Amino acid sequence: MSTTTEPPAQAERSAPEKPTPERKEPTYLFTEKYVSEKSELARKFLDTRELLNANVDKANNLLVKRFYNVDHNTYLEGALPAKTKELLGLVASASLRCDDCIFYHAIQSYRLGVTRAEQEEALNVALVVGGSIVVPHLRRTYELLTELYG
C-alpha cells in the first residue's frame, strides 16, 4: 500500500474567486474650490488644467474621449480604495517626472483625505524607483504639500 497521495486537481487547488467589488465614485472630503482657496499652486494648476482640457474637448476626438474614460474609471473605488490608487498614480507620476501628473495626484490624494505623511512615503518610493532625477520634482511637490497641509 502506497502512502503517497496525488495532488488535488487544479480546480480543487485554487481558491474560490471573490466577486469583483462594485466600482463607484470616490467620496472626496474637499472640493476643488476649497483646494484652490487653500493653495495658490493648486489654484494655478487647476485653472490651467481646466482651460487646457476645454481646448482638448473642442477637438471632439473619439480616441481622446475613450482614453479619458479609461483614466476616470481606473481611479474609481474598487478592489483598491481610491486613496491607494491616487498614491500609486503619484508614485508613477513622480517616477516618470511629470509635474502636471504629480500635482494632479497630490491634489486628488489630499481631497480624499490622504495625510501628508502618506504622500511623503509614497514620494519616497518614487525617489527610490526613479532615482535622484526625481529630486527637483519632489521640491515642487513639497511646496504644494506645504500649502495644502501647512
Side-chain angles (χ1 to χ4, degrees), residues 43-55:
R43 185 192 60 74
K44 287 179 182 176
F45 169 77
L46 291 169
D47 287 351
T48 300
R49 184 174 184 272
E50 184 178 355
L51 177 70
L52 296 177
N53 275 341
N55 290 333

Side-chain angles (χ1 to χ4, degrees), residues 5 10 15-16 19-21 30 33 36 40 44 51 58 61 64 70-71 73 88 92 99 117 120 123 135 140 146 150:
T5 59
Q10 180 63 31
T20 304
F30 306 110
K33 182 177 187 251
S36 291
E40 179 68 17
K44 287 179 182 176
L51 177 70
K58 287 177 192 173
N61 184 302
V64 172
V70 168
D71 179 74
N73 283 293
L88 289 168
D99 280 336
E120 288 178 3
L123 290 166
V135 171
R140 290 185 285 274
T146 298

Side-chain angles (χ1 to χ4, degrees), residues 8-46:
Q10 180 63 31
E12 295 173 28
R13 279 188 268 168
S14 59
E17 289 204 25
K18 297 178 183 174
T20 304
E22 182 182 340
R23 302 176 70 76
K24 62 181 182 176
E25 292 290 334
T27 303
Y28 292 100
L29 301 179
F30 306 110
T31 64
E32 282 189 4
K33 182 177 187 251
Y34 174 83
V35 173
S36 291
E37 291 169 354
K38 190 164 181 65
S39 164
E40 179 68 17
L41 287 170
R43 185 192 60 74
K44 287 179 182 176
F45 169 77
L46 291 169

Side-chain angles (χ1 to χ4, degrees), residues 1 33 37 39 59 68 71 87 111 116 118 134 146:
M1 182 190 241
K33 182 177 187 251
E37 291 169 354
S39 164
Y68 280 11
D71 179 74
L87 288 172
R111 292 183 61 212
R116 180 177 180 147
E118 290 169 325
V134 172
T146 298

Side-chain angles (χ1 to χ4, degrees), residues 19-147:
T20 304
E22 182 182 340
R23 302 176 70 76
K24 62 181 182 176
E25 292 290 334
T27 303
Y28 292 100
L29 301 179
F30 306 110
T31 64
E32 282 189 4
K33 182 177 187 251
Y34 174 83
V35 173
S36 291
E37 291 169 354
K38 190 164 181 65
S39 164
E40 179 68 17
L41 287 170
R43 185 192 60 74
K44 287 179 182 176
F45 169 77
L46 291 169
D47 287 351
T48 300
R49 184 174 184 272
E50 184 178 355
L51 177 70
L52 296 177
N53 275 341
N55 290 333
V56 173
D57 290 344
K58 287 177 192 173
N60 200 28
N61 184 302
L62 180 61
L63 181 59
V64 172
K65 286 181 180 183
R66 286 181 175 170
F67 182 83
Y68 280 11
N69 187 46
V70 168
D71 179 74
H72 173 79
N73 283 293
T74 297
Y75 292 94
L76 295 175
E77 296 282 351
L80 290 175
K83 285 180 179 183
T84 301
K85 292 178 180 184
E86 290 298 343
L87 288 172
L88 289 168
L90 179 62
V91 170
S93 298
S95 297
L96 293 169
R97 302 178 312 274
C98 174
D99 280 336
D100 278 9
C101 302
I102 294 166
F103 269 43
Y104 177 80
H105 292 293
I107 290 168
Q108 293 301 90
S109 294
Y110 176 81
R111 292 183 61 212
L112 287 166
V114 172
T115 66
R116 180 177 180 147
E118 290 169 325
Q119 291 212 42
E120 288 178 3
E121 281 198 23
L123 290 166
N124 289 345
V125 172
L127 179 59
V128 168
V129 171
S132 62
I133 197 164
V134 172
V135 171
H137 304 276
L138 286 179
R139 291 180 185 128
R140 290 185 285 274
T141 307
Y142 269 63
E143 184 179 18
L144 172 66
L145 296 179
T146 298
E147 287 187 6

